[in-house]
Amino acid sequence: QVQLVESGGGLVQAGASLRLSCAASGRAFSSYHMGWFRQAPGKEREFVAVISLNGGSTDYADSVKGRFTISRDNAKNTVYLQMNSLKPEDTAVYYCAAAMRYRFRTTEYDYWGQGTQVTVSS
């Protein structure tokens, strides 16, 4: 079992930055690839970014590429999502998730956090 708790969300203006954190507890954090997903009202949950076990590989959704950066600190059992140049369309609940394999789809992740709200005003 892995427990995940996100933090760092909030209300910001377009163009601002936020850094989300996801703290993990339970089984060895470094054994899991970590992903960030988001869900806007009335829409399906979508992939945002993924990072491999040791941080050597990352991938991003096209909509955030060049603006968002995923990173992890295995010593602190934490994964981060640095979000720059935020846009109103980035407004969503952001979730972190853990998977045994390097994956992009929500159905392939084993553990989820409760989510943190990010709201970007225009």
Side-chain angles (χ1 to χ4, degrees):
Q1 286 281 351
V2 176
Q3 292 78 43
L4 303 171
V5 179
E6 302 95 335
S7 61
L11 171 62
V12 297
Q13 290 189 330
S17 298
L18 277 176
R19 188 176 82 155
L20 305 183
S21 299
C22 173
S25 60
R27 293 185 60 183
F29 174 71
S30 58
S31 299
Y32 292 90
H33 304 279
M34 298 299 297
W36 283 99
F37 293 78
R38 67 186 182 186
Q39 187 167 17
K43 295 188 177 181
E44 293 187 354
R45 193 170 298 187
E46 64 176 6
F47 167 78
V48 174
V50 60
I51 189 166
S52 61
L53 300 179
N54 62 1
S57 295
T58 57
D59 278 284
Y60 299 90
D62 288 343
S63 58
V64 307
K65 202 171 293 183
R67 300 188 297 122
F68 290 11
T69 302
I70 188 171
S71 62
R72 67 189 297 164
D73 185 338
N74 286 346
K76 295 183 178 180
N77 287 358
T78 302
V79 61
Y80 305 97
L81 186 67
Q82 177 67 44
M83 306 185 295
N84 299 329
S85 302
L86 282 162
K87 305 175 181 180
E89 51 264 43
D90 294 318
T91 295
V93 177
Y94 283 71
Y95 299 88
C96 69
M100 295 298 292
R101 298 182 179 181
Y102 193 80
R103 291 291 185 262
F104 301 89
R105 294 186 293 186
T106 58
T107 54
E108 295 173 307
Y109 279 74
D110 303 300
Y111 302 102
W112 292 84
Q114 83 291 347
T116 185
Q117 177 71 47
V118 172
T119 303
V120 184
S121 63
S122 57

